[in-house]
Amino acid sequence: MDIKDIQNLIRFVSKAEVAEVSIKQDDIEIKIKTLASVPAQVASQQFYVPQAPVAQAAAPQAPVATPTNNSPQEEDNSNLITVKSPMIGTFYRSAGPGKEPFVGVGDSIAPGKVLCIVEAMKLFNEIESEISGKIVKILVDDASPVEYDQPLFLVDPA
């Protein structure tokens, strides 16, 4: 079982609203428990809950443009590729506090390059690039909660 299988399992459990899943393959055993399966008092003691305002947790909203508005920024964004979060979790730009971010605006990326980490259920998942290009914009603040399929980066393809 590789990391992609584990990520898919986490996605499945969160969408299926299952309280608990246990899987054993060869010498590996994985147990996933959702907060719904843990009493509220215990959950507050065992799990880290980011203290962020609700407004920061929402996905960024694109400005509404009128048909006559042809700003250069809109034209530039038409060829950009959006890198989205493959899971629900907490977004981190670096491997730890005080460490260099994996990527910054203007950095060139290639397939396999680590872009960020998304922490989900105490697992730190490295999100790798599947495309080549240049980072144009980082859409999420460090240590912010992210949703499944939420845009994280805008990339100008090479």
Side-chain angles (χ1 to χ4, degrees):
M1 182 173 274
D2 64 354
I3 191 71
K4 297 284 184 191
D5 294 333
I6 295 170
Q7 290 173 344
N8 289 333
L9 181 62
I10 292 169
R11 268 189 237 119
F12 170 78
V13 170
S14 67
K15 285 185 180 182
E17 297 179 8
V18 178
E20 183 176 339
V21 173
S22 289
I23 293 180
K24 188 170 186 177
Q25 273 187 342
D26 302 326
D27 60 337
I28 297 174
E29 183 174 351
I30 298 174
K31 289 184 181 181
I32 300 174
K33 294 181 181 181
T34 62
L35 287 177
S37 68
V38 180
Q41 187 178 28
V42 175
S44 66
Q45 295 172 356
Q46 292 182 344
F47 298 95
Y48 170 72
V49 179
Q51 300 296 323
V54 175
Q56 289 183 351
Q61 295 179 352
V64 177
T66 59
T68 58
N69 185 1
N70 291 327
S71 69
Q73 182 180 8
E74 288 177 25
E75 292 172 12
D76 291 340
N77 289 344
S78 64
N79 67 334
L80 299 180
I81 296 173
T82 304
V83 176
K84 297 180 180 182
S85 177
M87 66 188 69
I88 296 171
T90 304
F91 172 88
Y92 294 104
R93 291 191 57 205
S94 64
K99 296 197 175 182
E100 286 290 316
F102 292 109
V103 294
V105 175
D107 289 354
S108 294
I109 59 171
K113 166 91 170 136
V114 176
L115 301 175
C116 63
I117 291 176
V118 175
E119 176 192 7
M121 299 177 68
K122 302 292 183 190
L123 294 175
F124 292 88
N125 304 286
E126 292 183 341
I127 308 304
E128 297 179 351
S129 175
E130 296 178 0
I131 57 171
S132 294
K134 187 176 189 179
I135 301 288
V136 174
K137 188 170 185 179
I138 300 170
L139 303 171
V140 182
D141 293 329
D142 193 35
S144 295
V146 292
E147 296 293 326
Y148 171 74
D149 217 28
Q150 178 178 339
L152 302 175
F153 301 94
L154 288 180
V155 178
D156 186 11

